[in-house]
Amino acid sequence: MHLTFIGTGSTSAAPLYGCHCDVCTAARKNPTLKRNPASALIEAGDTRLLLDAGLHNLGERFPAGSFNAFLITHFHADHVQGLFPIRWGVGEKIAVYGPPDIEGCADLYKNPGLLDFITIHKFEPFNIGEITITPVPLIHSKPTLGYCLEWRDTRIAYLTDTVGFPPATAEFLRLWQPTQLILDCSYPPRLNMPKGHNDVTRALESIAQVQPQQAFLTHIGHELDTWLNQHPDTLAANIFVASDNLVLGA
Amino acid sequence: MHLTFIGTGSTSAAPLYGCHCDVCTAARKNPTLKRNPASALIEAGDTRLLLDAGLHNLGERFPAGSFNAFLITHFHADHVQGLFPIRWGVGEKIAVYGPPDIEGCADLYKNPGLLDFITIHKFEPFNIGEITITPVPLIHSKPTLGYCLEWRDTRIAYLTDTVGFPPATAEFLRLWQPTQLILDCSYPPRLNMPKGHNDVTRALESIAQVQPQQAFLTHIGHELDTWLNQHPDTLAANIFVASDNLVLGA
């Protein structure tokens, strides 16, 4: 099973509109430093899943028929905005698995077009192709699910957006023992508990709770990139900062 | 006063996701044939206005400080989706003029960030810089305003999305006498009255009501492009099909 980070950015990822900090200026000059909205491609055997849909040019990058389904963590615009144009396409329906959220985002439910929205529930595993997926609840301002993806002896947990874990999720992850844990870490360390997203302090606490083989921070804002540049030796040897187009399991 | 068509496409514009008709295939091969979401840049003296915000990479194309305000026709995703990332930027507030619509789109009102939403009302003119703008009501599935833009002896009416005109709008336009009328024309001729958007038949009827010096069709779907290719001599000499990056008044 391979995971490709399509995007690793938060809503304030570099280059942020109107920002001229060193990180945003560098990302504007060098597109390889840019962070697109946090999302990933999962590939195992013949199965290809898109995890979130915030990429603006999703339809160009993933033409019809090039993947099996979407898994949506939650219905904030930066995680679903790529669905707006795709829904009006032609061809077979596209399954979009997501959390119970009566609102969705804008008129996606009212005018789904090609999209077939399928509500899934916490701790109820299901299969797509050869991949077994267990959704786990997260702590965010909208109903949000993380995804625990299992294929042969690889177990990847993809967990955005969240600040900490609900106790049942922490317990599940501790027993499930991910080979790779991918975690929301939007902000540098903050004195007070952040809202909706982890700062570095809470992300490291969450990783310590689960004890995965490896952890990757994603959903990164420009202020965290600035802080990481200033504190290059903060992270343990098995904790990495993801970047766009990084491939795990290659 | 110059108007640049940033986009001239409907939600089913070429290249449409999953479509392999001749028009969509050609637009995929040749990016100059692509139609982005219908939107425009207006420039007069030092004033630069963005008319609708459906372009996905709006922030890259129009950096902070490069324009004065947005005029939004209505709050469907294909007309406002470019605002989702921009709102989280830093710097001065950006004025977003739009119709009275208590819903807006997704959480734009709840989390406006940089955006300063200003509700405007039909037939109540206002000025931005040297441009005088009169909003006129249109006929669509959400509250929608067209914009009549006046600068010196140039009068441009930009009218999407609509099927026909309310009587008061038709009367206003007939008296106002636009030098250029830009009009929603999404579909080839249909037997029955189309919903939400003009077909060719209703667009030509609307143009005949107003009698502008010139008319430009926009908000064009791939089926209309196909039909136009098959009927190249349908339009009168003063009626044009707009294309992305066409500039009026240059």
Side-chain angles (χ1 to χ4, degrees):
Chain A
M1 180 157 62
H2 295 179
L3 180 145
T4 305
F5 288 94
I6 298 170
T8 55
S10 76
T11 52
S12 62
L16 178 61
Y17 192 73
C19 182
H20 299 288
C21 76
D22 289 352
V23 163
C24 289
T25 302
R28 219 167 268 125
K29 281 184 188 159
N30 179 354
T32 68
L33 299 175
K34 182 181 173 179
R35 294 190 186 275
N36 279 306
S39 50
L41 169 69
I42 313 286
E43 298 172 282
D46 294 334
T47 306
R48 286 164 59 91
L49 305 178
L50 285 170
L51 224 158
D52 278 337
L55 200 69
H56 297 292
N57 60 347
L58 203 57
E60 287 170 35
R61 186 138 165 206
F62 298 98
S66 69
F67 61 98
N68 301 81
F70 287 105
L71 299 178
I72 299 298
T73 60
H74 65 297
F75 283 88
H76 275 151
D78 57 318
H79 292 258
V80 296
Q81 60 205 355
L83 300 178
F84 287 126
I86 283 180
R87 64 180 157 161
W88 302 118
V90 297
E92 291 185 14
K93 290 265 182 191
I94 304 172
V96 183
Y97 297 87
D101 182 338
I102 54 168
E103 286 181 340
C105 184
D107 64 343
L108 281 177
Y109 287 164
K110 185 180 167 193
N111 296 309
L114 273 192
L115 307 175
D116 183 16
F117 287 101
I118 301 165
T119 299
I120 50 179
H121 298 279
K122 59 184 178 182
F123 302 122
E124 293 184 6
F126 61 102
N127 293 301
I128 303 177
E130 295 176 55
I131 305 174
T132 301
I133 301 150
T134 305
V136 296
L138 299 176
I139 299 173
H140 195 52
S141 55
K142 239 183 166 346
T144 301
L145 292 172
Y147 291 103
C148 295
L149 305 145
E150 191 162 8
W151 183 80
R152 302 188 185 167
D153 54 359
T154 304
R155 292 180 305 285
I156 297 177
Y158 186 95
L159 309 168
T160 71
D161 295 1
T162 196
V163 53
F165 296 133
T169 295
E171 179 65 8
F172 176 90
L173 290 167
R174 200 181 57 76
L175 296 172
W176 193 66
Q177 274 299 297
T179 49
Q180 283 115 350
L181 183 144
I182 295 152
L183 185 61
D184 179 336
C185 184
S186 298
Y187 310 124
R190 291 192 170 175
L191 280 178
N192 300 317
M193 179 66 79
K195 282 190 185 166
H197 301 282
N198 287 320
D199 62 350
V200 168
T201 308
R202 279 72 194 185
L204 296 184
E205 284 172 7
S206 292
I207 292 166
Q209 278 184 294
V210 177
Q211 302 272 340
Q213 291 176 25
Q214 293 182 320
F216 295 81
L217 308 181
T218 187
H219 207 277
I220 290 160
H222 70 141
E223 290 176 346
L224 175 53
D225 267 325
T226 301
W227 187 88
L228 288 165
N229 287 344
Q230 294 163 348
H231 300 80
D233 300 319
T234 303
L235 303 176
N238 67 336
I239 302 177
F240 305 89
V241 180
S243 57
D244 285 28
N245 302 310
L246 175 67
V247 182
L248 305 188
Chain B
M1 181 157 61
H2 295 179
L3 180 146
T4 304
F5 287 94
I6 297 169
T8 55
S10 76
T11 54
S12 61
L16 179 61
Y17 193 71
C19 182
H20 299 288
C21 76
D22 289 351
V23 163
C24 289
T25 302
R28 221 168 266 125
K29 283 185 187 160
N30 179 355
T32 67
L33 299 174
K34 183 180 173 182
R35 294 189 185 275
N36 279 306
S39 49
L41 169 68
I42 311 286
E43 297 172 284
D46 294 334
T47 307
R48 285 162 61 90
L49 304 178
L50 285 169
L51 223 158
D52 277 338
L55 200 69
H56 297 292
N57 62 348
L58 202 57
E60 289 171 33
R61 186 138 164 208
F62 298 99
S66 70
F67 60 97
N68 300 80
F70 288 105
L71 299 178
I72 299 297
T73 59
H74 64 297
F75 282 89
H76 275 149
D78 58 317
H79 292 257
V80 297
Q81 60 204 354
L83 299 178
F84 287 128
I86 283 180
R87 63 179 157 164
W88 302 117
V90 297
E92 291 185 14
K93 290 267 181 188
I94 303 171
V96 183
Y97 296 88
D101 181 339
I102 54 167
E103 288 181 339
C105 183
D107 65 345
L108 280 178
Y109 287 165
K110 186 180 166 194
N111 297 308
L114 273 193
L115 307 175
D116 182 17
F117 287 102
I118 301 164
T119 300
I120 49 178
H121 299 279
K122 59 184 178 183
F123 302 122
E124 293 184 5
F126 60 103
N127 291 301
I128 303 178
E130 294 175 56
I131 304 174
T132 301
I133 301 151
T134 305
V136 295
L138 299 176
I139 300 172
H140 195 51
S141 56
K142 239 183 169 339
T144 302
L145 292 172
Y147 291 103
C148 295
L149 305 145
E150 191 163 6
W151 184 80
R152 299 186 186 170
D153 54 358
T154 304
R155 291 180 306 282
I156 297 177
Y158 186 95
L159 308 168
T160 72
D161 295 357
T162 197
V163 52
F165 296 133
T169 295
E171 179 65 7
F172 176 90
L173 291 167
R174 200 181 58 75
L175 295 172
W176 194 67
Q177 274 298 297
T179 47
Q180 284 114 350
L181 182 145
I182 294 153
L183 185 61
D184 179 336
C185 184
S186 298
Y187 310 125
R190 290 193 170 174
L191 280 177
N192 300 318
M193 180 65 79
K195 281 189 185 167
H197 300 281
N198 287 320
D199 63 349
V200 169
T201 308
R202 278 74 193 186
L204 295 183
E205 283 172 7
S206 291
I207 293 166
Q209 278 185 294
V210 176
Q211 301 273 335
Q213 290 177 27
Q214 293 183 319
F216 295 82
L217 308 181
T218 188
H219 207 275
I220 290 160
H222 70 141
E223 291 177 346
L224 174 53
D225 268 325
T226 302
W227 187 88
L228 288 165
N229 287 344
Q230 294 162 348
H231 300 80
D233 300 319
T234 302
L235 302 176
N238 67 334
I239 303 177
F240 304 90
V241 178
S243 57
D244 284 28
N245 302 311
L246 175 68
V247 182
L248 305 187

